[in-house]
Amino acid sequence: MSSSTPPSVLLNTGVQMPLLGLGTYKLRGSEGVYRAVDAALAAGYRAFDSAAVYRNEADLGRALKELLPKHGLTREDVFITSKLGPKDQGERAMEGALHSLAQLDLGYIDLYLIHWPGSQGLVVSDQRNPDNRAQSWAALEELHAEGKLKAIGVSNYTPAHMRELMQSCRIPPAVLQVEFHPRLCQTELRRVCEEYGVCFQAYSSLGQAELVSDPVVMEVAKTCERTPAQVLLRWAVQQGVPVLPKSSNPDRIKDNSRIFDFTLSKTDMDRLSALDCGQKFCWDPSEVA
């Protein structure tokens, strides 16, 4: 993978977002974050995905400030994503986003997402949820206009949440980040994103590691002499879907980056897509009002 210009996708803001990023969920402690970021930069990663609820924004910001010069890179060479926590959904959204900016301390955030369509402390059916989402989005639009958030988007939104947002927003979301893997192909959501010009981005590409032992995935991996994880990540990026594999292991971080030097055959792509059964390994936002 080229260290200069990683394969990327064009967002509706006119900015390129790398197809491969390091997910940092469960990556805690300054030493662990530093080691993972160092390995990722060495392997060619140029995007890093954090969130307020991951409680690692400050460690990620510090690690990047120390490591970018070591790898001959500047702030502009990397793409940083973070997310508004459900506890700050609504009237505290501005405060929450500014806290993320201060914690990362990198001048600006490349992409900032509303992490969850609901609000902490409210039941999923609570009718205050739509108002809180709208309030959060207005705060993100304001910070985007000020240049503090270069792009804004959402995570875990359903097609109904997306349509609601598109009807009321001044600035459309650049990205929708959701769970996506061969057992959860998200056909309707992808169609909605295409209709609105929103980049569809995957998390949990490996199905919380369960899919690496799926017999079909293992068979395809054996055929193309790759790891099951590489096959699952390749299945997504070959469809133009950006991925965020997470690992704290430097060897696995490197392995997961080797997804741009091979292609899956149409037969293999179809076999993997045929595993679709609507299985979610993570949060289920479908009941949030």
Side-chain angles (χ1 to χ4, degrees):
M1 187 175 159
S2 158
S3 61
S4 49
T5 52
S8 61
V9 62
L10 183 67
L11 300 183
N12 59 18
T13 53
V15 171
Q16 296 281 345
M17 179 173 79
L19 273 170
L20 173 70
L22 182 72
T24 67
Y25 175 54
K26 289 186 177 171
L27 198 56
R28 294 267 174 84
S30 54
E31 280 180 34
V33 171
Y34 185 95
R35 194 166 56 246
V37 170
D38 196 17
L41 290 171
Y45 289 72
R46 294 296 174 262
F48 297 87
D49 180 88
S50 184
V53 297
Y54 299 172
R55 301 209 299 273
N56 61 16
E57 290 170 311
D59 286 331
L60 177 61
R62 265 194 303 273
L64 284 165
K65 276 184 279 193
E66 286 182 42
L67 287 164
L68 287 172
K70 174 188 165 182
H71 291 272
L73 299 166
T74 66
R75 167 66 183 92
E76 289 67 37
D77 294 319
V78 289
F79 190 99
I80 310 303
T81 299
S82 199
K83 310 178 196 80
L84 181 76
K87 75 177 177 62
D88 293 322
Q89 183 86 292
E91 59 187 29
R92 289 175 55 181
M94 177 65 77
E95 190 187 330
L98 289 172
H99 186 68
S100 285
L101 279 156
Q103 288 287 292
L104 281 159
D105 193 27
L106 295 167
Y108 59 91
I109 296 173
D110 297 275
L111 174 65
Y112 199 69
L113 309 175
I114 294 177
H115 204 158
W116 178 245
S119 317
Q120 191 170 303
L122 297 188
V123 294
V124 290
S125 58
D126 197 300
Q127 292 307 307
R128 283 171 291 181
N129 280 320
D131 286 342
N132 283 353
R133 281 195 293 276
Q135 240 180 317
S136 293
W137 192 254
L140 267 54
E141 286 180 326
E142 200 175 312
L143 290 169
H144 173 67
E146 291 172 17
K148 290 174 181 163
L149 309 175
K150 299 295 184 188
I152 52 178
V154 292
S155 183
N156 298 301
Y157 272 36
T158 64
H161 297 141
M162 289 298 287
R163 292 189 185 103
E164 168 197 89
L165 175 58
M166 293 306 297
Q167 280 160 11
S168 62
C169 66
R170 285 183 298 123
I171 297 162
V175 171
L176 167 65
Q177 187 189 111
V178 290
E179 181 179 351
F180 176 71
H181 44 71
R183 287 195 201 161
L184 187 65
C185 288
Q186 301 276 27
T187 311
E188 189 190 356
L189 258 182
R190 290 188 68 196
R191 201 179 295 126
V192 169
C193 284
E194 204 172 315
E195 181 189 336
Y196 293 136
V198 176
C199 172
F200 177 96
Q201 183 179 39
Y203 74 72
S204 201
S205 295
L206 313 184
Q208 293 189 333
E210 201 167 308
L211 294 183
V212 295
S213 55
D214 181 285
V216 174
V217 176
M218 289 172 78
E219 210 175 295
V220 171
K222 194 177 174 186
T223 308
C224 50
E225 299 179 327
R226 292 289 173 152
T227 68
Q230 288 167 343
V231 163
L232 288 161
L233 295 167
R234 179 68 206 178
W235 174 82
V237 298
Q238 199 161 308
Q239 299 177 68
V241 175
V243 292
L244 299 162
K246 58 179 191 276
S247 180
S248 57
N249 179 311
D251 291 331
R252 201 163 293 140
I253 287 169
K254 189 176 181 179
D255 273 352
N256 288 344
S257 74
R258 295 181 56 241
I259 56 173
F260 299 107
D261 57 351
F262 75 106
T263 306
L264 293 170
S265 68
K266 185 182 185 306
T267 307
D268 287 340
M269 289 292 287
D270 291 346
R271 284 185 73 198
L272 292 165
S273 298
L275 296 172
D276 187 22
C277 59
Q279 184 178 4
K280 292 186 174 85
F281 292 96
C282 306
W283 303 354
D284 184 357
S286 61
E287 292 169 6
V288 180

